[in-house]
Amino acid sequence: TWRDGWRHLRFILLMAPHVVFAIPGWLFTAFFGMMTLALSLGPMAIARMELDYHHLFYSVPLFAIGIQLLWFDLFAGKFKAFVGLSSKQDIKPFSLDKFLLLGCGLLVFAITIFLFVLIGWINSGKEALFAIRECSLALTLFLVGFLVIINALIVSMFELHFDSRKE
């Protein structure tokens, strides 16, 4: 039945997160991350195909999806340990502070790029703004920084241990 199929799929997702999340996550992150970075610097040609700034409109969200898939893989591993389906010793401790620092650093870097674009626009007399590449890079950094902060907070929740027995 549909219900049994769904339960089976949920079991697979829980027990093999590396296949479902990590492999596509690393592929998306690596490929679309390099593409986003390269296109943020200027147009590029691959074989006979010319890639330009308009390709950023799909490379940026697919890069972010890759990052989120990697976080889902980490969620699944932490959840398995949290509910007792794997040994807590198999899971490396999670450093919330490092990830919060990374996320805040990415946000600051993104805001700095946005400010440089804004200052350049104001200095030009508020003429037409041609900063798609710079703004796309800043948007990507801002989005990833936000994802790092939010996901790190959620992962750190799995490391909280409470004694459910009342005394």
Side-chain angles (χ1 to χ4, degrees), residues 70-84:
L70 294 175
W71 280 104
F72 284 156
D73 180 49
L74 185 58
F75 290 163
K78 292 288 183 180
F79 180 75
K80 282 171 57 176
F82 185 77
V83 297

Side-chain angles (χ1 to χ4, degrees), residues 3-142:
R3 183 174 177 221
D4 289 337
W6 173 241
R7 285 194 321 204
H8 181 74
L9 179 59
R10 280 188 5 210
F11 181 76
I12 291 171
L13 291 174
L14 180 62
M15 299 312 285
H18 58 284
V19 174
V20 178
F21 299 126
I23 294 171
W26 281 115
L27 291 173
F28 273 47
T29 300
F31 181 77
F32 291 110
M34 288 187 295
M35 184 177 181
T36 299
L37 182 60
L39 291 174
S40 294
L41 301 174
M44 60 187 251
I46 299 175
R48 294 182 182 169
M49 189 169 62
E50 184 73 26
L51 301 176
D52 208 344
Y53 66 89
H54 50 279
H55 291 91
L56 286 166
F57 296 118
Y58 66 83
S59 71
V60 169
L62 291 173
F63 172 66
I65 288 170
I67 294 288
Q68 189 60 46
L69 286 171
L70 294 175
W71 280 104
F72 284 156
D73 180 49
L74 185 58
F75 290 163
K78 292 288 183 180
F79 180 75
K80 282 171 57 176
F82 185 77
V83 297
L85 293 175
S86 67
S87 169
K88 289 186 182 1
Q89 290 81 15
D90 295 339
I91 306 293
K92 295 178 185 173
F94 183 76
S95 176
L96 176 62
D97 298 341
K98 289 179 185 176
F99 280 99
L100 290 179
L101 190 60
L102 173 65
C104 288
L106 290 170
L107 290 176
V108 167
F109 191 34
I111 291 169
T112 303
I113 295 171
F114 280 131
L115 287 175
F116 274 110
V117 169
L118 179 65
I119 290 167
W121 177 66
I122 291 170
N123 288 340
S124 73
K126 299 180 183 173
E127 298 289 326
L129 180 62
F130 298 105
I132 292 173
R133 293 181 198 288
E134 297 89 343
C135 287
S136 293
L137 179 60
L139 173 70
T140 304
L141 293 171
F142 193 88

